[in-house]
């Protein structure tokens, strides 16, 4: 290759290709652009940018149902990583609103029901214990609908949420380690590389006095290869598992 051809090739690589990439990005729908940003949600600024894209997509009428449940999903993520109670209440409240909007449009699909239930739980927790208890019924209702439509949705997410709820509830309010274990084991079967399910299982096992089983779940989380779809979550879950294993419950005698 002559020197002139090499120069031309370098020009194409550094000048024309970025322009082509920008053009390809512009051909994507606003919803798809939001999805691309959501995949980078480990950077909270990217998650917020995804929400902006979904809001633009809503204004552009790019299929309201698909936009509404995505907004509920990213609002949950941002709220869960917000620093203040007021921010959490606001974001989870918006997640509830958009989850309901999705359900009105497509009651027979799981997305709206699932993200409504998830935001219900987090909204109640952010508001306080009494508010949290008031959402137990609605959460159960939404998760039962998800299970009826698609039990595998979000890698067994409905069973995960129900399993955690039965663990956290006091006995007089319907709490049950037996029910917690049943739901979490089903969730683990559907999503074996969802670290949070195994961490929840560890907590339930500990409450039942099954220390070794709890240890095995946490050790699995620390050692497991992340699911490519869940890299931000898995990084957090590995750290959670390490901290739990360092607790006095696991101190070797």
């Amino acid at each position: 290759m002559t020197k002139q051809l090499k120069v031309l090739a370098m020009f194409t690589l550094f000048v024309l290709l970025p322009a082509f990439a920008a053009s390809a990005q512009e051909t994507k729908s606003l919803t798809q652009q939001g999805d691309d940003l959501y995949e980078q949600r480990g950077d909270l600024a990217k998650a917020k940018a995804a929400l902006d894209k979904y809001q633009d997509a809503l204004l552009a009428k790019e299929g309201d149902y698909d936009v509404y449940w995505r907004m509920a999903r990213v609002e949950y993520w941002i709220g869960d990583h917000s620093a203040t109670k007021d921010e959490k209440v606001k974001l989870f409240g918006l997640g509830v609103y958009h989850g309901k909007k999705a359900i009105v449009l497509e009651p027979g699909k799981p997305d709206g029901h699932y993200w409504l239930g998830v935001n219900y739980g987090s909204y109640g927790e952010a508001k306080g214990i009494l508010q949290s208890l008031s959402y137990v019924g609605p959460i159960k209702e939404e998760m039962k609908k998800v299970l009826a439509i698609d039990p595998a949705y979000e890698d067994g997410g409905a069973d995960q949420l129900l399993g955690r709820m039965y663990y956290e509830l006091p006995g007089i309010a319907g709490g049950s380690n037996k029910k917690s274990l049943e739901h979490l084991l089903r969730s683990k079967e559907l999503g074996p590389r969802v670290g949070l399910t195994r961490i929840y299982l560890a907590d339930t096992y500990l409450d039942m006095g099954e220390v070794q089983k709890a240890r095995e779940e946490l050790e699995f989380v620390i050692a497991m290869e992340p699911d490519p779809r869940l890299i931000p979550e898995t990084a957090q879950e590995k750290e959670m598992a390490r901290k739990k294993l360092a607790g006095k419950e696991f101190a070797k005698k």
Side-chain angles (χ1 to χ4, degrees), residues 99-155:
K100 288 180 176 179
K101 296 285 279 187
I103 290 169
V104 169
L105 293 172
E106 293 284 0
K109 292 184 178 181
D111 317 87
H113 295 292
Y114 180 75
W115 292 109
L116 172 59
V118 169
N119 278 288
Y120 267 153
S122 295
Y123 181 78
E125 287 182 4
K127 292 285 285 187
I129 184 64
L130 293 179
Q131 281 283 354
S132 182
L133 289 173
S134 73
Y135 283 106
V136 170
I139 292 169
K140 285 183 179 179
E141 181 179 349
E142 297 306 326
M143 293 305 105
K144 286 179 180 178
K145 289 176 180 176
V146 175
L147 291 175
I149 298 166
D150 181 7
Y153 184 78
E154 284 292 315
D155 299 286

Side-chain angles (χ1 to χ4, degrees), residues 151-165:
Y153 184 78
E154 284 292 315
D155 299 286
D159 275 313
Q160 183 203 82
L161 182 52
L162 288 170
R164 187 60 172 183
M165 187 175 69

Side-chain angles (χ1 to χ4, degrees), residues 29 31 38 41 63 95 108 113 119 133 183 189 201 218 227-228 250:
S29 70
T31 304
Y38 182 75
R41 61 193 174 279
H113 295 292
N119 278 288
L133 289 173
H183 282 289
E189 184 178 350
L201 256 177
L218 296 175
D227 185 316
F250 298 100

Side-chain angles (χ1 to χ4, degrees), residues 11-247:
F11 175 82
T12 301
L13 179 63
F14 291 107
V15 178
L16 297 183
L17 287 184
F20 293 152
S23 177
Q25 179 68 10
E26 289 173 2
T27 65
K28 289 187 175 182
S29 70
L30 292 165
T31 304
Q32 290 172 321
Q33 292 177 47
D35 290 347
D36 290 344
L37 289 162
Y38 182 75
E39 287 182 2
Q40 304 171 67
R41 61 193 174 279
D43 178 350
L44 198 57
K46 297 289 188 181
K48 292 177 179 179
L51 180 56
D52 290 340
K53 286 293 182 183
Y54 293 142
Q55 289 170 337
D56 291 342
L58 196 62
L59 292 173
K61 300 190 179 300
E62 286 188 359
D64 289 354
Y65 171 75
D66 287 327
V67 177
Y68 279 136
W69 75 257
R70 282 170 165 83
M71 291 178 76
R73 178 181 65 177
V74 74
E75 283 158 350
Y76 164 74
W77 177 267
I78 298 171
D80 195 46
H81 293 82
S82 294
T84 70
K85 175 181 176 180
D86 287 346
E87 289 174 347
K88 290 178 181 292
V89 169
K90 177 184 175 182
L91 268 298
F92 296 141
L94 286 170
V96 167
Y97 173 77
H98 289 123
K100 288 180 176 179
K101 296 285 279 187
I103 290 169
V104 169
L105 293 172
E106 293 284 0
K109 292 184 178 181
D111 317 87
H113 295 292
Y114 180 75
W115 292 109
L116 172 59
V118 169
N119 278 288
Y120 267 153
S122 295
Y123 181 78
E125 287 182 4
K127 292 285 285 187
I129 184 64
L130 293 179
Q131 281 283 354
S132 182
L133 289 173
S134 73
Y135 283 106
V136 170
I139 292 169
K140 285 183 179 179
E141 181 179 349
E142 297 306 326
M143 293 305 105
K144 286 179 180 178
K145 289 176 180 176
V146 175
L147 291 175
I149 298 166
D150 181 7
Y153 184 78
E154 284 292 315
D155 299 286
D159 275 313
Q160 183 203 82
L161 182 52
L162 288 170
R164 187 60 172 183
M165 187 175 69
Y166 281 118
Y167 165 81
E168 292 184 334
L169 283 173
I172 59 172
S176 166
N177 280 335
K178 180 181 177 181
K179 289 182 179 179
S180 173
L181 189 62
E182 289 173 355
H183 282 289
L184 290 172
L185 286 174
R186 280 201 295 268
S187 182
K188 184 175 81 166
E189 184 178 350
L190 293 166
R193 284 196 287 169
V194 178
L196 193 59
T197 299
R198 292 177 178 272
I199 289 169
Y200 287 169
L201 256 177
D203 287 341
T204 298
Y205 277 137
L206 278 177
D207 216 36
M208 298 172 72
E210 299 277 4
V211 178
Q212 183 55 34
K213 288 184 178 180
R215 184 192 303 277
E216 289 170 1
E217 295 297 341
L218 296 175
E219 288 177 343
F220 184 95
V221 173
I222 293 169
M224 74 179 182
E225 186 72 21
D227 185 316
R229 300 168 300 144
L230 303 172
I231 289 175
E233 289 86 350
T234 303
Q236 297 173 9
E237 291 156 359
K238 285 178 179 289
E239 183 60 27
M240 290 170 62
R242 291 187 187 97
K243 288 181 179 179
K244 284 183 177 291
L245 271 178

